[in-house]
Amino acid sequence: MSTSHRLILSLAGILIGGSALAVQPPQPPAPPAAPAAPSKQINISTGSGDGYALVDSSEDSVTMAGTDVDGQQIKQLQRSLKGQFLWFRDQGKGYVTQDAVLLARVRDAWKPSQDLGLQMSGLGKQMSEHGKAMGELGSKMGAHGAAQADGGARESEQLRALGRQQQELGRKMGEAARRQAQATTETARRAAGREVERLQQQMEDAQDAMEEVNDRIAAAHEREADKVDALSRQMDQRGKPMETLGKQMEALGRQQEKAAKAADKTTRQVIAQALSEGKARPVR
């Protein structure tokens, strides 16, 4: 089996105003279903400095940064303002601007990060699907083991239990990938990555245990050994793409973190310009 892998998804989704908004990257539901609300998107960074939010009321799209974003104030502005606006906080006060040139700069600055997030979401979905397939193969191995264990009740029960365990681990790996996509802080993202790594190790341990049981059964039932080995080879083949996907996600995660920092820097420059040129008004 390959070594365990860390998934890195640096930006995530939240809830605003009681409505579930899908993350940018889109938040995948249980695999292999498509995102429930692909037209809605949120992008979040929790860097230092005063908070801000780029909001497009017509598309339910929000790009946010900082930990002091006033969701209630933004919700009120969404009801009173049409189209896109940039809300931000400066020295404890809320401001808003709808200057088209400034908004375009912010929107363009965040696009590379959003595109990378979309790619990472796709890789996360593939990871989940491979995990599910490995679980299904584990169940087949358990069922086959039960049929061939004919008089070996203990080995048969072990195979069934390990098959169920692998199926459950495959499901949990998909859930862990989605939790990582929803992480709003670096700490949470790393914690989710460690959870995926832990589950991958458990999957490997369960597979090793299943192979040991299968070896005992094969010794007693040589005629069935080829069928069991074929399923084991399928399991190994399913596991190989996980390593490739993990490396791809790690590389994209580094790129996305860099892109998000650059976008945040540009946005804060825009905020400074809006204040100095009088293109932002206080929010009462």
Side-chain angles (χ1 to χ4, degrees), residues 73-208:
Q73 196 168 84
I74 292 172
K75 183 179 177 181
Q76 293 173 353
L77 289 170
Q78 282 181 297
R79 290 196 295 262
S80 60
L81 298 178
K82 300 297 183 181
Q84 196 173 67
F85 63 86
L86 176 66
W87 174 94
F88 59 90
R89 192 185 299 280
D90 181 68
Q91 298 183 6
K93 297 180 180 179
Y95 292 84
V96 66
T97 180
Q98 287 190 287
D99 184 87
V101 175
L102 297 181
L103 294 180
R105 283 184 60 192
V106 177
R107 188 169 57 248
D108 292 344
W110 279 99
K111 190 175 186 305
S113 176
Q114 294 168 351
D115 290 344
L116 287 167
L118 182 61
Q119 294 179 53
M120 293 177 73
S121 178
L123 291 177
K125 182 179 179 181
Q126 292 180 51
M127 193 81 156
S128 174
E129 290 172 347
H130 280 297
K132 180 181 178 182
M134 290 177 73
E136 291 172 350
L137 283 171
S139 289
K140 289 180 180 180
M141 292 178 73
H144 184 70
Q148 76 173 157
D150 190 14
R154 185 174 61 86
E155 288 83 359
S156 176
E157 181 55 32
Q158 285 180 328
L159 283 172
R160 283 196 295 267
L162 287 167
R164 291 192 297 269
Q165 180 184 359
Q166 287 192 325
Q167 190 169 31
E168 179 66 9
L169 286 170
R171 182 186 67 79
K172 288 182 177 179
M173 285 179 69
E175 293 178 355
R178 290 195 295 276
R179 286 199 302 274
Q180 192 169 31
Q182 294 175 321
T184 59
T185 66
E186 182 69 8
T187 299
R189 181 185 65 75
R190 288 178 179 175
R194 289 193 295 269
E195 175 67 6
V196 172
E197 186 176 10
R198 184 183 67 81
L199 289 169
Q200 178 67 15
Q201 183 61 56
Q202 290 183 15
M203 182 77 80
E204 292 174 2
D205 292 343
Q207 173 63 15
D208 290 342

